[in-house]
Amino acid sequence: SARTQTDGAPISYQAGGDLWLAQVESAEGTVSLSNDGIIESVFAEEQTNITAQRLEVASGSGIGNQQRLLTEVKELSLTNQRGRVAVTNTGTVRIERMASNGNVSLRSLEGDVELDSREGPIFDLEERDAIRAGGTLSANYQQGTVSIFVDKGSLLALGTPHSHKPDLVGRRGNIIVAKDIGTAARPLVMYFQDSVFMNGLRSWSPEWAFGDPPPTVENQSSLKMSDFDLLMSGADYLIQ
């Protein structure tokens, strides 16, 4: 696509094959992309491809395989049938869904990443397709690696934690965050088959979906917060 810009009207692209993007801008509106092939940037160097209030994507064979798709969106709902997904966003973004049967990589240059499981389904343990199984951000429990990099903000989750509605799903997880991973009031619910690595300023102990932690959990956060830390901080406050 060439440069497409509106003042807030929705923009929609549909393709039977691949979709190559230049710049698509609907700062106050919704951009919708649907195709059977790959979604890639036409730019030789990284430039913002999509600016919108909301981005909705349903792709077939991968997103940002050759070069990460660059976005400036506040809401994201994305599914991909097979292949790698690689997206870099600027600004706080609420993830309603980001699911693929393959590796999923999300980077935030500025702002927080908010995982929103409030409207998500109960996870289906019998389903082998990541899109149909559930999970807010999923690379498929049997297949892919979830990689999340938040350069200046926190990785947070919205709503009440639910052990059967995981925020993060994959075979492996790699989470590197400048500030907080979860909060005391809302820890992340994770479901990883093999391993998860976490590194943040503060990380709150995650809840493990279905009570099933991965065999390898490595947490290199500066401050590893737990329920005990929360109780102690409350006790200190009462004493003062």
Side-chain angles (χ1 to χ4, degrees), residues 34-101:
S34 177
N35 76 317
D36 296 329
I38 60 173
I39 297 178
E40 296 287 349
S41 171
V42 300
F43 299 123
E45 299 180 354
E46 291 190 347
Q47 296 185 46
T48 300
N49 301 109
I50 300 170
T51 302
Q53 170 69 28
R54 180 177 177 83
L55 174 61
E56 299 176 347
V57 183
S59 186
S61 301
I63 300 166
N65 279 299
Q66 299 180 26
Q67 182 166 277
R68 301 178 71 90
L69 199 69
L70 266 63
T71 63
E72 292 184 19
V73 302
K74 297 179 176 64
E75 303 168 19
L76 176 62
S77 178
L78 178 154
T79 59
N80 177 66
Q81 292 291 338
R82 58 196 173 276
R84 176 176 181 260
V85 170
V87 176
T88 295
N89 190 70
T90 298
T92 294
V93 59
R94 178 170 61 87
I95 307 292
E96 288 184 9
R97 195 80 199 283
M98 191 172 185
S100 178
N101 295 297

Side-chain angles (χ1 to χ4, degrees), residues 13 23 46 54 71 88 107 156 197:
Y13 283 110
Q23 291 178 306
E46 291 190 347
R54 180 177 177 83
T71 63
T88 295
R107 183 178 183 187
L156 308 172
F197 171 85

Side-chain angles (χ1 to χ4, degrees), residues 110-194:
E110 295 180 2
D112 298 331
V113 172
E114 300 173 340
L115 303 171
D116 190 355
S117 66
R118 290 176 294 186
E119 301 299 323
I122 297 297
F123 192 87
D124 185 351
L125 291 172
E126 302 301 320
E127 178 58 61
R128 293 296 179 261
D129 180 271
I131 298 170
R132 293 194 293 266
T136 304
L137 195 157
S138 175
N140 193 311
Y141 184 72
Q142 287 82 23
Q143 291 186 28
T145 298
V146 168
S147 299
I148 300 176
F149 309 97
V150 185
D151 291 0
K152 296 182 180 179
S154 297
L155 176 62
L156 308 172
L158 305 178
T160 303
H162 192 304
S163 64
H164 294 179
K165 295 173 66 174
D167 304 303
L168 299 173
V169 180
R171 191 175 184 90
R172 294 163 297 273
N174 184 37
I175 302 166
I176 301 175
V177 176
K179 295 181 180 179
D180 290 352
I181 300 174
T183 65
R186 179 56 166 93
L188 301 184
V189 181
M190 301 185 184
Y191 191 42
F192 292 108
Q193 186 178 90
D194 289 350

